[in-house]
Amino acid sequence: MANRGDERLTAASTPGEGFLADVVLKWEAELGPLSDCRPRIRVPVVRTGIVLAREGGALAEMLPMFRLSAAGRLGSGRQWMSWIHLEDIVGLFIHALDSAATGPLEGVAPRPVTNREFTPRSAVRSA
C-alpha cells in the first residue's frame, strides 16, 4: 500500500491502494446506476472519518483503554486521522436527506490530526 504521507486528501483525490480502498471503490461504483433511474434518484454519498463523542462512537470505545494505559500511539504516530464529531455527522446525514445534495459529501472535521496529536500523553509509554 502506498503511503500518501502529508498529502492533503479530498473527495477529488485519486483513490488509495489496498483492500479498504478497493472496497470503497466497489461500494461507490454500485451506487452509480441509481443516478440513471427514471424518475431520477438523488445519490448523496457520505464519506466519513472516525466518529468521536464521549457518549458514543469510537472515542467511547478508546477512552477506557487509554485510561488503563492499555492503548497508545501507533508506530511513529505520523499517521493522519480524519475524524468528525457525532453531532456533526448526524447533521450531515440530515443535510443529505433534506437537501438537493448529490455525489460525495465529506463527513470529516476541517483539520485532520496525526495519531501522535490524538493519543493522550498519558497513554504513551516511555521507552
Side-chain angles (χ1 to χ4, degrees):
M1 181 176 342
N3 181 346
R4 307 283 283 262
D6 290 334
E7 176 185 352
R8 182 157 179 87
L9 302 174
T10 69
S13 298
T14 58
E17 298 174 4
F19 175 75
L20 289 178
D22 291 343
V23 167
V24 171
L25 285 172
K26 290 176 183 174
W27 182 289
E28 290 186 1
E30 291 297 317
L31 298 173
L34 293 175
S35 296
D36 299 329
C37 292
R38 295 292 179 247
R40 187 171 170 87
I41 297 175
R42 189 176 54 82
V43 185
V45 178
V46 177
R47 295 176 178 167
T48 184
I50 300 168
V51 178
L52 301 176
R54 285 194 182 275
E55 344 38 73
L59 187 59
E61 300 298 320
M62 293 178 201
L63 281 176
M65 300 305 283
F66 285 140
R67 288 183 180 127
L68 292 171
S69 295
R73 188 174 299 147
L74 301 174
S76 68
R78 295 189 332 228
Q79 306 86 342
W80 286 100
M81 299 172 57
S82 293
W83 63 279
I84 188 166
H85 190 273
L86 181 61
E87 290 177 12
D88 293 326
I89 195 68
V90 168
L92 182 59
F93 279 114
I94 291 170
H95 170 74
L97 291 170
D98 291 346
S99 72
T102 190
L105 300 172
E106 295 186 49
V108 293
R111 184 181 171 274
V113 295
T114 63
N115 181 257
R116 179 180 301 263
E117 293 172 298
F118 179 79
T119 306
R121 286 189 198 276
S122 61
V124 179
R125 296 184 182 160
S126 55

Coordinates of all heavy atoms in Angstrom, one line a residue, residues 1-4 14-22 25:
M1 N 0.9 -1.2 0.0 CA 0.0 0.0 0.0 C 0.9 1.2 0.0 O 1.8 1.3 0.8 CB -0.9 0.0 1.2 CG -1.8 1.1 1.3 SD -3.0 1.2 2.6 CE -3.1 -0.4 3.3
A2 N 0.6 2.2 -0.9 CA 1.4 3.4 -0.9 C 1.0 4.3 0.2 O -0.1 4.6 0.5 CB 1.1 4.1 -2.3
N3 N 2.1 4.9 0.8 CA 1.9 5.9 1.9 C 1.8 7.2 1.2 O 2.6 7.7 0.5 CB 3.1 5.8 2.8 CG 3.0 6.8 4.0 OD1 2.2 7.7 4.0 ND2 3.9 6.6 4.9
R4 N 0.7 7.9 1.5 CA 0.5 9.3 0.9 C 1.1 10.4 1.8 O 1.0 11.5 1.5 CB -1.0 9.5 0.8 CG -1.8 8.4 0.0 CD -1.7 8.5 -1.5 NE -2.4 9.5 -2.1 CZ -3.6 9.3 -2.7 NH1 -4.2 8.2 -2.7 NH2 -4.2 10.3 -3.3
T14 N -7.1 11.1 -6.0 CA -7.2 9.8 -6.5 C -7.3 8.8 -5.4 O -6.9 9.0 -4.3 CB -5.9 9.5 -7.3 OG1 -4.7 9.6 -6.5 CG2 -5.7 10.4 -8.5
P15 N -7.9 7.6 -5.7 CA -8.1 6.6 -4.7 C -6.8 6.1 -4.2 O -5.8 6.1 -4.8 CB -8.9 5.5 -5.4 CG -9.4 6.1 -6.7 CD -8.5 7.2 -7.0
G16 N -6.9 5.5 -3.0 CA -5.7 4.8 -2.4 C -5.6 3.5 -3.0 O -6.3 3.1 -3.9
E17 N -4.7 2.7 -2.4 CA -4.5 1.3 -2.8 C -4.7 0.4 -1.7 O -4.6 0.7 -0.5 CB -3.0 1.2 -3.3 CG -2.6 2.0 -4.4 CD -1.1 1.9 -4.8 OE1 -0.4 1.1 -4.1 OE2 -0.7 2.7 -5.6
G18 N -5.1 -0.8 -2.0 CA -5.3 -1.9 -0.9 C -6.7 -2.3 -0.7 O -7.6 -1.8 -1.4
F19 N -6.9 -3.2 0.2 CA -8.2 -3.8 0.4 C -9.3 -2.7 0.7 O -10.3 -2.8 0.1 CB -8.1 -4.8 1.6 CG -9.5 -5.3 2.0 CD1 -10.1 -6.3 1.2 CD2 -10.1 -4.9 3.1 CE1 -11.3 -6.8 1.5 CE2 -11.4 -5.4 3.4 CZ -12.0 -6.4 2.6
L20 N -9.1 -1.8 1.7 CA -10.1 -0.9 2.0 C -10.5 0.1 0.9 O -11.6 0.4 0.6 CB -9.8 -0.1 3.3 CG -9.8 -1.0 4.6 CD1 -9.4 -0.1 5.8 CD2 -11.2 -1.5 4.8
A21 N -9.4 0.5 0.2 CA -9.7 1.4 -0.9 C -10.5 0.7 -2.0 O -11.4 1.3 -2.6 CB -8.3 1.9 -1.5
D22 N -10.2 -0.6 -2.2 CA -10.9 -1.4 -3.2 C -12.4 -1.5 -2.8 O -13.3 -1.4 -3.6 CB -10.3 -2.7 -3.4 CG -8.9 -2.7 -4.1 OD1 -8.6 -1.6 -4.7 OD2 -8.2 -3.7 -4.0
L25 N -14.2 1.8 -3.5 CA -14.4 2.0 -4.9 C -15.5 1.1 -5.4 O -16.4 1.6 -6.2 CB -13.1 1.6 -5.7 CG -12.0 2.7 -5.6 CD1 -10.7 2.1 -6.3 CD2 -12.4 3.9 -6.3

